[in-house]
Amino acid sequence: MFGNYLIGLREGLEASLVVCILIAYLVKTGRRDALRPIWIGIGVAVALALAFGAGLTFGSQELTFEAQELLGGSLSILAVVLVTWMVFWMRRTARHLKTELHGKLDAALEMGTGALVATAFLAVGREGLETALFVWASVRASSDGTHAPLVGVVLGLLTAVFLGWLFYRGALKINLAKFFTWTGGMLVVVAAGVLAYGVHDLQEADFLGGLANKAFDVSATIPPDSWYGTLLKGVFNFQPDPTVLQVTVWAAYLIPTLAVFLAPVGSGPSKRVAKQKATETDEKAEATGVEATG
């Protein structure tokens, strides 16, 4: 349940921050007339994400077992790819997200209502579709016959909406770059479990071999129906009897991805040179501005 709560919190907070930035900018610049198309774009994006999630959930039920496993495994791997890209992208752009959105909103204001709707839709829709896909894959991987995984996702989303409201009201201030770095790291761990489960689905669909080749079996020590077995499955998508291929893929993804993700940003020489050039350019621009006004 915690893993699914983390997904709902992390993904939901990204969308909440985008909404807060868009709304706050329009209010502060006196463009309240543009709020309606923004909310329309947000509403359409949310509806699309819900429809996508419902389509994945109910559409797959009409398939054969092998087809369900093939679809589930393929979409789980796709979800891991998208989430991995997303956490790296957010870590890189978290500090500049507000400036980037403000620039897009300024351009949309000049173009008219349709552009405002499209801007809000694209900004929130991408987050919504990624969230729907990864939530579906994670809930499917950690499902234990109860509604706990889905409850965890809903609680995470509700927490994200509440935190977004606090950000908008100015009642909460945290270092977003650090927040997204640490939650992103935990999300990589969750994604590794989803990836391993996706590989298992493909093995059950006979798309990949090695289903009977178990890496280990600790079912007697960690029963899947025990409280700690349920906890490990809910947080890490732990399986007590994984195949060799599952363990190999899990380690091959988790170790290098986590190492690169947690490495200091901008520590290389090329980064330092670029930063120095950017500083020199800013200083020249400031000097030119002073001379012009003088």
Side-chain angles (χ1 to χ4, degrees):
M1 183 174 176
F2 174 76
N4 294 288
Y5 174 82
L6 176 64
I7 294 170
L9 174 63
R10 164 71 190 232
E11 301 291 316
L13 188 57
E14 285 188 28
S16 295
L17 287 176
V18 169
V19 172
C20 289
I21 291 171
L22 294 175
I23 299 302
Y25 185 65
L26 291 176
V27 171
K28 289 181 179 179
T29 55
R31 292 302 307 270
R32 291 180 178 270
D33 58 301
L35 288 176
R36 188 168 182 270
I38 289 295
W39 282 116
I40 291 175
I42 292 170
V44 173
V46 172
L48 178 62
L50 292 175
F52 180 58
L56 290 174
T57 302
F58 298 108
S60 60
Q61 294 178 357
E62 303 299 323
L63 302 175
T64 63
F65 173 77
E66 289 77 10
Q68 286 184 12
E69 297 303 299
L70 181 60
L71 176 65
S74 302
L75 291 181
S76 294
I77 293 173
L78 176 61
V80 171
V81 171
L82 291 176
V83 166
T84 303
W85 172 82
M86 178 271 299
V87 294
F88 276 96
W89 176 83
M90 180 54 74
R91 188 193 180 202
R92 186 177 65 253
T93 62
R95 294 181 179 88
H96 315 293
L97 181 62
K98 181 183 292 187
T99 302
E100 181 179 331
L101 287 174
H102 285 178
K104 291 181 179 178
L105 199 53
D106 284 334
L109 285 169
E110 296 178 1
M111 297 175 66
T113 302
L116 287 170
V117 173
T119 298
F121 171 77
L122 293 175
V124 179
R126 180 181 62 82
E127 301 290 346
L129 292 176
E130 285 181 358
T131 301
L133 178 57
F134 194 56
V135 163
W136 178 82
S138 179
V139 169
R140 189 172 183 275
S142 60
S143 179
D144 54 2
T146 70
H147 296 292
L150 190 57
V151 170
V153 172
V154 173
L155 290 176
L157 291 172
L158 291 176
T159 303
V161 172
F162 178 67
L163 291 177
W165 180 78
L166 290 179
F167 278 122
Y168 178 77
R169 303 296 298 180
L172 181 64
K173 292 183 179 180
I174 63 174
N175 188 317
L176 291 179
K178 289 184 178 180
F179 174 83
F180 283 122
T181 295
W182 289 110
T183 57
M186 290 187 286
L187 207 56
V188 168
V189 176
V190 174
V194 173
L195 179 61
Y197 190 87
V199 169
H200 185 264
D201 280 349
L202 294 179
Q203 289 180 307
E204 289 195 324
D206 289 331
F207 184 79
L208 296 175
L211 183 61
N213 190 11
K214 302 293 184 182
F216 55 82
D217 189 347
V218 293
S219 301
T221 306
I222 308 178
D225 56 350
S226 63
W227 69 267
Y228 46 92
T230 303
L231 178 64
L232 288 172
K233 184 175 180 62
V235 177
F236 303 109
N237 289 312
F238 174 78
Q239 183 179 335
D241 57 342
T243 65
V244 172
L245 182 58
Q246 279 184 273
V247 174
T248 301
V249 170
W250 179 85
Y253 167 81
L254 180 64
I255 296 173
T257 303
L258 204 56
V260 173
F261 182 77
L262 296 178
V265 178
S267 58
S270 60
K271 294 285 187 179
R272 289 195 297 269
V273 172
K275 184 176 181 181
Q276 182 179 355
K277 289 183 178 179
T279 303
E280 292 174 355
T281 302
D282 291 341
E283 291 175 352
K284 290 179 180 178
E286 290 177 2
T288 303
V290 171
E291 292 174 1
T293 56

